[in-house]
Amino acid sequence: MCGIFGIVSDKNVKNSEIQLLAHHSEQRGKDSSGLFLSNYNGYAIHRANKAITTLLNHVSTSTTGLVMGHSRLITNGLVDNQPVYRDGVCVIHNGIVVNHDALWGQVDKLRLQEIDTEIIAAIAADHLEKGGAVDGIATKVLRLCEGVVACALTLPKLGKLCLFSNNGSLYYGSKGATHYFASERYPLTQLQ
């Protein structure tokens, strides 16, 4: 089990809010963690073989309007970590894509990592490169991937974020112009 979470805001993300989401996500896995941060100047990816709250102590989120985080219980791909970034697509994922090995023959992409999450980014990139629309990514991924997929996928160059799940383990809420997502509902209720 893993946990994913994020905040998208037209203002800088509040540290207390990202810490709350990270704390609850960490309860779903402490083996490794990762963060994706984006602002008008670009993006940054941070990965660590430690708990997400520890990683957050070393990363500043004070100048970003988008933070996505991942707290991982290692189940597949011991040497790789999330977020997975390739071909202009960044993915954090809770679940296991059980047919990821077979799917590599269905996309025009070379496999670069061991982790099953990479196939989600490859499917999205392949879909877009072949003229598919952003709003068709979720349908394509969920149609091809067998197993559990609760996913946040961002396209930084397009300024788009896609949230989708085939098991219901992804919750979303808004407060004003700030949007939140998490693998569990409870931390969102704490943010009101």
Side-chain angles (χ1 to χ4, degrees):
M1 180 169 57
C2 299
I4 64 173
F5 60 93
I7 300 175
V8 180
S9 181
D10 61 351
K11 299 176 184 165
N12 292 334
V13 170
K14 292 181 181 176
N15 188 52
S16 61
E17 292 182 338
I18 202 68
Q19 288 283 351
L20 181 118
L21 291 176
H23 171 74
H24 286 283
S25 179
E26 185 174 271
Q27 297 171 26
R28 298 173 64 95
K30 294 182 181 183
D31 294 329
S32 62
S33 59
L35 290 166
F36 175 87
L37 303 109
S38 181
N39 60 29
Y40 294 108
N41 297 324
Y43 66 89
I45 295 174
H46 303 273
R47 298 180 189 101
N49 290 325
K50 54 187 161 191
I52 187 67
T53 53
T54 304
L55 176 61
L56 266 173
N57 289 333
H58 302 285
V59 175
S60 173
T61 61
S62 63
T63 61
T64 185
L66 167 64
V67 176
M68 296 189 328
H70 184 269
S71 186
R72 185 171 187 216
L73 174 66
I74 295 177
T75 56
N76 193 349
L78 299 176
V79 296
D80 300 322
N81 197 4
Q82 296 184 46
V84 169
Y85 185 87
R86 66 166 297 147
D87 305 311
V89 178
C90 184
V91 175
I92 57 173
H93 161 235
N94 172 29
I96 299 174
V97 179
V98 296
N99 65 332
H100 65 102
D101 289 329
L103 288 175
W104 285 104
Q106 297 182 40
V107 295
D108 291 331
K109 299 286 175 192
L110 292 176
R111 185 176 189 171
L112 304 173
Q113 300 178 34
E114 182 181 325
I115 192 169
D116 61 321
T117 303
E118 184 189 14
I119 193 62
I120 297 170
I123 291 168
D126 186 60
H127 171 77
L128 293 172
E129 289 169 10
K130 291 180 176 171
V134 171
D135 61 3
I137 291 173
T139 301
K140 180 86 178 216
V141 169
L142 295 176
R143 183 175 56 79
L144 292 174
C145 293
E146 296 173 7
V148 175
V149 176
C151 184
L153 180 150
T154 188
L155 306 163
K157 292 179 182 174
L158 299 178
K160 300 290 183 179
L161 173 68
C162 305
L163 301 173
F164 51 94
S165 174
N166 65 0
N167 72 340
S169 183
L170 187 57
Y171 297 88
Y172 169 84
S174 294
K175 185 167 50 173
T178 303
H179 309 278
Y180 307 84
F181 68 89
S183 295
E184 296 179 1
R185 178 183 219 153
Y186 180 73
L188 299 182
T189 63
Q190 296 298 296
L191 294 171
Q192 301 177 345

